[in-house]
Amino acid sequence: MLSRTADSLFWLSRYLERADNTARIIDAASRLVAMPISYAGESNEWESALAAAGALEAFKQLYKEADRDSVIDFLAFSSLNSSSIKSCLETARNNARAVRTALTSEMWEAINAGWLDIKRYDGTKMDRPKLNEFLTRVKEACLRFDGSAYRTMLRNDVYYFSRLGVYLERADNTARILDVKYHVLLPAEAGIGGGLDYFQWSSILRSVSALTAYRWVYRESLKPWLIADLLILNEQMPRSLASCYANLSSYLDALSAAYGRQGASQRTARSIRTRLQNSRIDDVFQEIGLHEFLTDFIAENGRLGGAINAQYLV
């Protein structure tokens, strides 16, 4: 496969996953803001949404205050933000068009129809019902494409590069959301286990589609260390760091088998996965520190992206 084709497939999936993740982050912030002040707390949930999306610094260069309208405009619609939902979907569609012959007809129809549907929204009159409708359409468009890829693609290098983009982006997003919870969302004076803590954690779990999974696995009230365990170390949870790296290692090994050689990307993914497999959530909290663990992970995830790029995409 040509490296430019692999690059387009990889980034097509990354941008679609990023659009889906950003829609979920906005939805989580919107839910928290709608809570009574006694539950929602005094923290700026819209600023937290920017931090979770990795867009806080870029936002501050354009806006003075992180209020509802400015954050929704920046994260969802702004052409000045290359990671806004509309920018991501447009870039993904452009990448899909560049590799149209590598996609099945169902995949192309899913992304093209999704883009045509989403481009009708321009951010004006974005009251709560309109916002919910927009976010639902975004998530449905991403799910349709992901489902059509899973059900119609041959399991070959085209599929492997597509999946690498999904799981690399998903791992980064899950780590950022967890890190933001501990260092931005929860005020220093708020105690663990109170109403504020419960609604924030339940909102975070909703943003990664994990609230029901948490109840199935732990059958307990929401506890920060159990939520961290689910989203970091539990391979059964599709958005956990461990699950993402199980898939990344598998698809990179499949590529190495298809091309007859291994490289830095396989070694890096295997190393990160081994670290996750050997970690215990008690050790993460007591010896390393959650923030330090997640910061290191985000950096290592970025290094894996660089290794994949150097090995296959340039």
Side-chain angles (χ1 to χ4, degrees), residues 27-36 40 45 185 196 199-200 203-204:
D27 184 44
S30 181
R31 287 176 183 271
L32 283 173
V33 169
M35 293 292 178
E45 309 302 343
L185 275 179
L196 166 62
F199 283 110
Q200 287 183 342
S203 181
I204 293 303

Side-chain angles (χ1 to χ4, degrees), residues 34 51 64 76 191 202 288:
K64 293 182 178 180
S202 63
I288 304 171

Side-chain angles (χ1 to χ4, degrees), residues 203-227:
S203 181
I204 293 303
L205 286 172
R206 286 180 187 276
S207 72
V208 293
S209 300
L211 184 57
T212 301
Y214 177 89
R215 291 168 178 160
W216 284 341
V217 173
Y218 300 104
R219 301 182 184 278
E220 293 189 37
S221 60
L222 300 185
K223 294 181 173 62
W225 53 92
L226 294 181
I227 293 170

Side-chain angles (χ1 to χ4, degrees), residues 19-314:
D20 180 68
N21 290 333
T22 302
R24 293 172 182 275
I25 288 169
I26 295 173
D27 184 44
S30 181
R31 287 176 183 271
L32 283 173
V33 169
M35 293 292 178
I37 189 65
S38 59
Y39 290 118
E42 299 177 357
S43 60
N44 187 337
E45 309 302 343
W46 293 112
E47 187 170 299
S48 302
L50 290 165
L56 185 57
E57 293 304 317
F59 177 87
K60 288 181 176 179
Q61 295 177 9
L62 298 173
Y63 299 89
K64 293 182 178 180
E65 183 181 357
D67 56 27
R68 178 187 184 277
D69 291 341
S70 61
V71 172
I72 289 174
D73 178 69
F74 186 73
L75 289 182
F77 302 102
S78 178
S79 59
L80 299 177
N81 176 15
S82 61
S83 292
S84 71
I85 290 173
K86 289 193 76 172
S87 294
C88 284
L89 288 172
E90 182 176 14
T91 304
R93 180 177 178 269
N94 289 339
N95 277 304
R97 187 165 53 189
V99 291
R100 174 69 183 84
T101 56
L103 305 179
T104 65
S105 59
E106 290 85 356
M107 293 171 68
W108 169 251
E109 288 167 5
I111 193 170
N112 192 50
W115 164 244
L116 293 175
D117 186 27
I118 296 306
K119 71 182 293 189
R120 298 186 296 107
Y121 297 87
D122 59 7
T124 59
K125 298 180 180 179
M126 197 56 61
D127 55 16
R128 185 170 176 79
K130 193 73 170 178
L131 177 63
N132 289 342
E133 176 188 309
F134 170 75
L135 296 176
T136 298
R137 298 276 184 141
V138 172
K139 289 184 280 188
E140 287 177 348
C142 296
L143 283 170
R144 281 196 299 270
F145 181 84
D146 196 58
S148 64
Y150 181 79
R151 298 184 64 161
T152 65
M153 290 188 79
L154 289 173
R155 272 29 178 191
N156 56 16
D157 52 355
V158 175
Y159 184 76
Y160 303 150
F161 281 117
S162 176
R163 294 295 92 186
L164 289 179
V166 169
Y167 290 111
L168 197 72
E169 188 70 30
R170 185 174 294 176
D172 181 79
N173 179 258
T174 298
R176 289 180 186 278
I177 286 178
L178 269 175
D179 198 31
V180 166
K181 165 61 186 174
Y182 267 83
H183 293 273
V184 179
L185 275 179
L186 188 62
E189 67 273 12
I192 292 176
L196 166 62
D197 201 57
Y198 175 83
F199 283 110
Q200 287 183 342
W201 275 117
S202 63
S203 181
I204 293 303
L205 286 172
R206 286 180 187 276
S207 72
V208 293
S209 300
L211 184 57
T212 301
Y214 177 89
R215 291 168 178 160
W216 284 341
V217 173
Y218 300 104
R219 301 182 184 278
E220 293 189 37
S221 60
L222 300 185
K223 294 181 173 62
W225 53 92
L226 294 181
I227 293 170
D229 181 67
L230 179 70
L231 297 184
I232 295 175
L233 303 179
N234 193 322
E235 285 196 13
Q236 292 180 304
M237 176 59 209
R239 290 182 178 270
S240 73
L241 308 187
S243 176
C244 288
Y245 268 81
N247 283 287
L248 284 166
S249 296
S250 174
Y251 291 125
L252 282 167
D253 286 345
L255 278 174
S256 70
Y259 293 158
R261 61 183 182 277
Q262 295 196 3
S265 61
Q266 282 81 14
R267 293 190 294 271
T268 301
R270 202 173 295 126
S271 173
I272 297 172
R273 188 187 182 196
T274 299
R275 181 188 177 196
L276 291 169
Q277 289 177 318
N278 293 335
S279 295
R280 295 172 54 86
I281 203 63
D282 291 343
D283 297 335
V284 170
F285 274 84
Q286 296 172 11
E287 299 178 11
I288 304 171
L290 184 63
H291 173 64
E292 290 73 17
F293 181 91
L294 293 172
T295 299
D296 288 346
F297 175 84
I298 291 169
E300 289 177 346
N301 195 59
R303 284 195 288 274
L304 177 60
I308 292 172
N309 181 72
Q311 188 171 342
Y312 293 113
L313 308 182
V314 295

